[in-house]
């Protein structure tokens, strides 16, 4: 819902700590592959425009989607200005999505994807399938199935990094895909159980099992204050915050 949450006056929503202001979660990957720089985004939520402006984005080379909920897809239309520049070179921005997510994108953005669409200012984007392993601008993304309530959604592993958002359960077969992950970014909504999101304790337990050296929690509700929660987290684990930037070496990147 973002923090502050609309209509709420709790201590986190009214906190003056800038770390307690949270836009909807997404990841911006600036990939340096030899001499080539690429920009890959995971999820374009309703705050994508604000995040893109804040990050000074001048292009996006690809987008990957975890699932089709509003807080992960509703910024798609704000790819338009960046997509027009790509279209002038005769291209379009690829959007990698599971079949389920692709169906929702086609429905919600009918005026963009329908073959009959005549809206002239539609985003110049195209949907691409998400395989078990998908290579995007030299980075291999491993699709990691996780459960979000009853729904199976997509987490991503790239090199020694994993991004698992909106998780409530990790199947055994997916733990196998997470061996050797050193930097884990995983959702942790709050302390109180939720039918489709992990609690902070559950997420800490999974991080321990995966054995990541650094763990960042994301998709955090207003129940968790930044400073007070970080004080009680184990070493190597912390709440992420808007604008957090991490440098990682992806051995799997090859030209
Ligand atoms: Zn609140
Ligand atoms: Zn969701
Ligand atoms: Zn979400």
């Amino acid at each position: 819902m973002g923090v502050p949450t609309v209509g709420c006056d709790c201590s986190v929503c009214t906190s003056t700590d800038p770390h307690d202001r949270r836009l909807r979660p997404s990841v911006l990957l600036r990939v340096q592959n030899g001499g080539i720089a690429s920009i890959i985004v995971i999820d374009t939520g309703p705050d994508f425009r604000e995040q893109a402006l804040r990050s000074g984005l001048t292009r996006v080379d690809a987008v990957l989607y975890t699932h089709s909920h509003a807080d992960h897809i509703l910024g798609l239309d704000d790819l338009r200005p960046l997509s027009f520049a790509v279209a002038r070179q005769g291209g379009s921005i690829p959007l990698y999505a599971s079949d389920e997510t692709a169906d929702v994108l086609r429905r919600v953005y009918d005026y963009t994807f329908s073959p009959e669409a005549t809206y002239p200012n539609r985003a110049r984007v195209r949907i691409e399938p998400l395989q078990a392993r998908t290579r995007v601008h030299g980075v291999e993304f491993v699709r990691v199935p996780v459960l979000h309530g009853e729904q199976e959604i997509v987490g991503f592993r790239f090199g020694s990094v994993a991004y698992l958002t909106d998780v409530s359960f990790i199947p055994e077969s997916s733990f196998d895909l997470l061996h050797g992950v050193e930097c884990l970014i995983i959702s942790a909504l709050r302390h109180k159980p939720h039918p489709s999101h992990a609690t902070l304790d559950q997420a800490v337990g999974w991080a321990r099992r995966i054995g990541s050296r650094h763990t960042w929690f994301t998709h955090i509700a207003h129940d968790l204050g930044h400073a007070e929660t970080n004080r009680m987290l184990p070493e190597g684990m912390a709440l992420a915050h808007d604008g957090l930037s991490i440098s990682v070496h992806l051995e799997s990147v090859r030209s």
Side-chain angles (χ1 to χ4, degrees):
M1 291 176 186
V3 182
T5 297
V6 174
C8 185
D9 63 356
C10 77
S11 61
V12 178
C13 287
T14 55
S15 160
T16 53
D17 180 350
H19 293 113
D20 282 323
R21 296 189 77 82
R22 302 177 185 128
L23 299 179
R24 268 57 70 91
S26 65
V27 175
L28 167 63
L29 287 171
R30 296 182 195 272
V31 182
Q32 196 63 44
N33 189 6
I36 304 163
S38 318
I39 298 205
I40 303 169
V41 170
I42 304 180
D43 288 341
T44 53
D47 299 315
F48 172 72
R49 176 177 174 276
E50 197 58 42
Q51 291 160 327
L53 291 171
R54 196 164 61 181
S55 308
L57 269 198
T58 53
R59 53 182 249 249
V60 167
D61 299 306
V63 180
L64 286 83
Y65 285 100
T66 59
H67 66 302
S68 61
H69 283 163
D71 54 327
H72 299 262
I73 68 163
L74 284 189
L76 186 151
D77 229 31
D78 289 317
L79 289 167
R80 287 189 306 149
L82 300 176
S83 80
F84 296 153
V86 178
R88 279 195 289 276
Q89 312 292 321
S92 56
I93 299 178
L95 313 177
Y96 293 87
S98 67
D99 293 347
E100 260 180 338
T101 299
D103 283 348
V104 176
L105 291 179
R106 287 195 186 93
R107 200 146 34 85
V108 172
Y109 295 99
D110 170 67
Y111 60 90
T112 300
F113 295 111
S114 161
E116 289 91 54
T118 54
Y119 179 51
N121 290 330
R122 67 187 186 279
R124 277 22 176 207
V125 292
R126 63 179 196 277
I127 294 174
E128 295 283 347
L130 205 49
Q131 318 286 1
R133 288 167 188 268
T134 305
R135 186 164 278 273
V136 182
H137 293 282
V139 183
E140 185 177 75
F141 289 88
V142 178
R143 178 175 170 163
V144 181
V146 294
L147 290 189
H148 181 20
E150 303 279 297
Q151 193 188 345
E152 185 185 300
I153 64 164
V154 177
F156 293 107
R157 175 181 185 161
F158 39 103
S160 58
V161 182
Y163 181 63
L164 310 175
T165 190
D166 295 56
V167 192
S168 57
F169 182 77
I170 305 176
E172 281 306 308
S173 51
S174 291
F175 277 111
D176 295 342
L177 299 171
L178 297 167
H179 276 310
V181 162
E182 299 210 342
C183 176
L184 173 66
I185 306 157
I186 187 164
S187 58
L189 193 73
R190 61 189 192 191
H191 294 303
K192 209 171 106 191
H194 185 284
S196 49
H197 290 277
T199 62
L200 185 59
D201 276 352
Q202 279 175 310
V204 165
W206 292 330
R208 284 208 169 105
R209 176 164 173 195
I210 292 163
S212 45
R213 202 149 19 127
H214 303 284
T215 298
W216 299 100
F217 300 105
T218 186
H219 209 290
I220 309 154
H222 62 155
D223 309 59
L224 302 180
H226 186 82
E228 62 185 274
T229 307
N230 274 344
R231 273 196 292 276
M232 47 162 267
L233 280 171
E235 210 190 316
M237 303 190 192
L239 297 191
H241 55 85
D242 284 28
L244 173 69
S245 170
I246 306 165
S247 284
V248 285
H249 183 72
L250 304 177
E251 302 102 288
S252 65
V253 176
R254 285 187 206 103
S255 52

